[in-house]
Amino acid sequence: DTAVSQTPKYLVTQMGNDKSIKCEQNLGHDTMYWYKQDSKKFLKIMFSYNNKELIINETVPNRFSPKSPDKAHLNLHINSLELGDSAVYFCASSLRTGKAFFGQGTRLTVV
Amino acid sequence: DQQVKQNSPSLSVQEGRISILNCDYTNSMFDYFLWYKKYPAEGPTFLISISSIKDKNEDGRFTVFLNKSAKHLSLHIVPSQPGDSAVYFCAASESNTGKLIFGQGTTLQVKP
């Protein structure tokens, strides 16, 4: 059983398109996150939701919009994709202040 | 401004020997530190953590040491095994946020 699963694993799309990445966790955690790993391999937090409420919103373009329909899901919508959005996006979950469990990642390539 | 730094991008050790991975941080408000291991095309997996009230935590072959005065932590793996070859990320958090700040990672290669 996958604890944190995200789909798709690979996503290739053209500039200007709108795309979504889905994430689900079955760990019963109350907090979910989106992290981005850029071409230099840095892992940086983008968003955090606790019980469906946005609690962390780092300096991210407003083309990126997270949506949490319930505690177990946190989806990431990206509008008007740009070349610089190409990266690996990781979903994660944790109890409020505990260790985070990560999904396998979604490699987004914008062409 | 990088608050968590791993200054060694790579490390190579012989199987059976000790691997020591280092991490420095600048924010004295961090009170929880973690090490993650990452294989290619997979997400980071949790390895071991330490609270700022401790200076050592051990789990099997893995031990994390924390030196708060130096704002430094290290991960010791002994004995190292070829399956330990991966990228290791150090991370730190303030307990009231849950947000993890990651270092840039160290690629460990354990040679048979």
Side-chain angles (χ1 to χ4, degrees), chain A residues 47-62:
Chain A
F47 301 103
S48 171
Y49 269 74
N50 178 260
N51 283 319
K52 303 195 302 176
E53 181 183 345
L54 180 66
I55 56 172
I56 294 175
N57 184 348
E58 295 293 301
T59 310
V60 178
N62 57 15

Side-chain angles (χ1 to χ4, degrees), chain A residues 55-74:
Chain A
I55 56 172
I56 294 175
N57 184 348
E58 295 293 301
T59 310
V60 178
N62 57 15
R63 298 182 294 104
F64 290 78
S65 55
K67 285 185 172 56
S68 181
D70 55 58
K71 266 177 41 171
H73 296 83
L74 181 61

Side-chain angles (χ1 to χ4, degrees), chain A residues 9-10 31 33 35 37 40-45 48 55-56 58 90 94 96-105 107, chain B residues 2 4 32 34 36 38 40-46 49 87 89 93-105:
Chain A
K9 185 167 183 177
Y10 299 98
T31 305
Y33 312 83
Y35 283 83
Q37 186 176 34
K40 294 182 180 178
K41 307 300 182 186
F42 285 102
L43 260 169
K44 291 184 179 176
I45 192 165
S48 171
I55 56 172
I56 294 175
E58 295 293 301
F90 290 99
S94 73
R96 183 64 179 90
T97 57
K99 66 191 180 196
F101 291 79
F102 284 80
Q104 64 180 1
R107 181 174 292 277
Chain B
Q2 231 180 309
V4 179
Y32 188 53
L34 309 90
Y36 281 83
K38 186 182 180 304
E42 294 184 12
T45 55
F46 171 78
S49 64
V87 179
F89 288 96
S93 78
E94 296 176 44
S95 59
N96 63 345
T97 69
K99 162 179 144 180
L100 296 179
I101 308 295
F102 282 88
Q104 61 269 55

